[in-house]
Amino acid sequence: MMEQQQGTYRIERYSPGKEAEWNSFVDSCRNGTFLHQRGYMDYHAHRFADHSLMFYRGEELVAILPAHIKDETFCSHNGLTYGGLLLTNSATTDAVLSLFNILQNYLLENTSATSIIYKPTPHIYHTYPCEEDLYALFRNGAVLTERKVSSAIQLENPILIGGRRKLTAKAKSSLHIIEDGDFAAFWSILGERLQDKYNALPVHSIEEITLLKNRFPENIKLYYVANDKSNILGGVVLFITKNVVHMQYSATTAEGRRISALDYLYEELIYNRFVCKKEYFDFGTSVEEGGRYLNSGLIAYKERMGGRAVVYDTYAIDLKKPLI
């Protein structure tokens, strides 16, 4: 087992025998979500050379870092939307500065890494303020390399925006909102839409999303709108964390777009299903090229629904520079 000791802290590299301890920590920390559970991270373990780390003070686990190494770069973690150091309530700013220092020493002494790519968890996913790592990044000369802008609604006090198309009572009467229905049928619609519009495929295959749904049934939900003939007109896959409902995928058929099926579905989810149950509804990012290109049409739709900006950042640290 690879280990590093420095002062009162030590680092151990994650191994499968630590799975229960890792998962328990994710459940109790300030900025972890089900994406950081090993059952989620390990579904694509074949794509990444896992090098996740666990930080101890004596025998107490005080932080974990989902990560992998690619070439000479230590990444946290390219298979996840966000990550960074996951911290307990007791972790202080001074402590996190020490953790960054021991991390850099560990990487220099035990790996071939010459740089760190670091993706902190956006603040809306924190259950308590948890931005000690942002200060530590600044202190260690980190450079902001990507800034992706997402659009989120505060569910207890959403901005009411005019201009959304509202279906008549008669139109609504012929529609039905289904929870956790036919994933395969929706995936066919999603794949066709992504291919036509972006020449792309879903990040998750139908086999992968089915596996993850089975592992996290309360965190991954499919909602779709169907007509009286049970034809799917449009739907969304939601990733649900402790305080955020995140829109992971959305798609409609041509008929669904004609009648604004997603507007109807979002209205139900935001104002009825999740109001006062979660803090935010996160529509996801609307950028390409690490944030250097804004999809104005896409973000305008989300903003018409009441979404406002939350950033997903990526930082880089050059390990060849002297430690601060």
Side-chain angles (χ1 to χ4, degrees):
M1 179 183 298
M2 201 175 290
E3 184 173 320
Q4 180 90 15
Q5 180 80 40
Q6 182 175 315
T8 58
Y9 296 100
R10 62 184 171 88
I11 291 178
E12 288 187 20
R13 184 174 174 181
Y14 171 80
S15 61
K18 295 277 190 178
E19 180 175 2
E21 185 179 16
W22 177 284
N23 289 339
S24 177
F25 187 91
V26 171
D27 285 337
S28 64
C29 68
R30 282 181 276 160
N31 56 337
T33 71
F34 79 96
L35 273 68
H36 303 122
Q37 295 279 349
R38 298 309 309 194
Y40 188 95
M41 289 181 59
D42 292 343
Y43 90 89
H44 51 22
H46 60 288
R47 300 177 192 167
F48 303 97
D50 188 87
H51 204 109
S52 298
L53 299 175
M54 306 175 77
F55 298 76
Y56 292 86
R57 181 176 54 219
E59 296 304 311
E60 178 190 5
L61 182 60
V62 297
I64 61 176
L65 180 56
H68 67 95
I69 291 181
K70 181 179 180 181
D71 300 325
E72 295 184 339
T73 302
F74 179 82
C75 308
S76 76
H77 176 303
N78 287 344
L80 301 174
T81 308
Y82 48 78
L85 278 172
L86 307 185
L87 301 168
T88 64
N89 288 338
S90 63
T92 63
T93 302
D94 269 335
V96 175
L97 286 173
S98 296
L99 295 181
F100 266 75
N101 189 267
I102 187 176
L103 168 63
Q104 293 179 73
N105 283 329
Y106 167 89
L107 294 174
L108 289 169
E109 295 176 16
N110 295 284
T111 76
S112 60
T114 60
S115 62
I116 298 172
I117 297 297
Y118 188 97
K119 297 191 295 186
T121 300
H123 73 92
I124 60 174
Y125 292 90
H126 300 176
T127 57
Y128 200 81
C130 193
E131 294 186 347
E132 292 84 359
D133 60 342
L134 298 185
Y135 178 67
L137 287 165
F138 163 73
R139 286 286 301 273
N140 284 273
V143 176
L144 178 66
T145 60
E146 293 186 354
R147 170 158 282 175
K148 299 176 181 179
V149 64
S150 186
S151 304
I153 291 175
Q154 190 176 44
L155 288 170
E156 290 189 4
N157 188 31
I159 297 174
L160 299 177
I161 305 295
R164 296 198 311 271
R165 179 177 176 182
K166 293 185 179 293
L167 276 69
T168 64
K170 181 180 179 181
K172 289 181 180 180
S173 67
S174 65
L175 300 177
H176 311 278
I177 293 177
I178 310 298
E179 177 181 346
D180 286 346
D182 190 339
F183 266 77
F186 175 73
W187 230 246
S188 178
I189 295 170
L190 174 65
E192 182 177 338
R193 182 62 175 157
L194 289 175
Q195 187 68 42
D196 288 346
K197 193 169 185 180
Y198 302 107
N199 193 29
L201 294 173
V203 173
H204 302 89
S205 68
I206 183 58
E207 293 79 14
E208 289 172 336
I209 198 67
T210 300
L211 172 69
L212 292 171
K213 169 63 179 175
N214 289 335
R215 290 180 178 178
F216 301 98
E218 298 306 312
N219 300 107
I220 299 175
K221 297 282 188 180
L222 166 64
Y223 290 88
Y224 62 72
V225 180
N227 60 20
D228 283 335
K229 296 180 180 179
S230 298
N231 296 322
I232 300 175
L233 303 176
V236 296
V237 173
L238 304 178
F239 279 15
I240 302 170
T241 65
K242 294 175 183 176
N243 50 343
V244 179
V245 180
H246 174 77
M247 195 279 291
Q248 184 70 17
Y249 295 108
S250 68
T252 55
T253 64
E255 175 63 13
R257 291 189 291 279
R258 187 187 70 80
I259 68 167
S260 299
L262 280 187
D263 284 22
Y264 172 51
L265 179 56
Y266 284 137
E267 184 175 314
E268 170 65 20
L269 296 175
I270 292 166
Y271 295 101
N272 294 315
R273 300 289 176 105
F274 291 106
V275 65
C276 297
K277 296 179 181 177
K278 300 292 180 179
E279 292 185 46
Y280 297 97
F281 189 100
D282 182 6
F283 282 104
T285 60
S286 303
V287 297
E288 300 172 23
E289 300 174 11
R292 291 168 180 81
Y293 170 79
L294 177 67
N295 188 327
S296 298
L298 180 59
I299 201 168
Y301 174 81
K302 298 170 182 179
E303 290 175 341
R304 282 198 299 272
M305 299 297 294
R308 290 298 180 265
V310 173
V311 295
Y312 287 59
D313 284 345
T314 301
Y315 295 86
I317 295 176
D318 185 352
L319 290 173
K320 293 175 286 187
K321 291 183 177 180
L323 299 181
I324 297 177

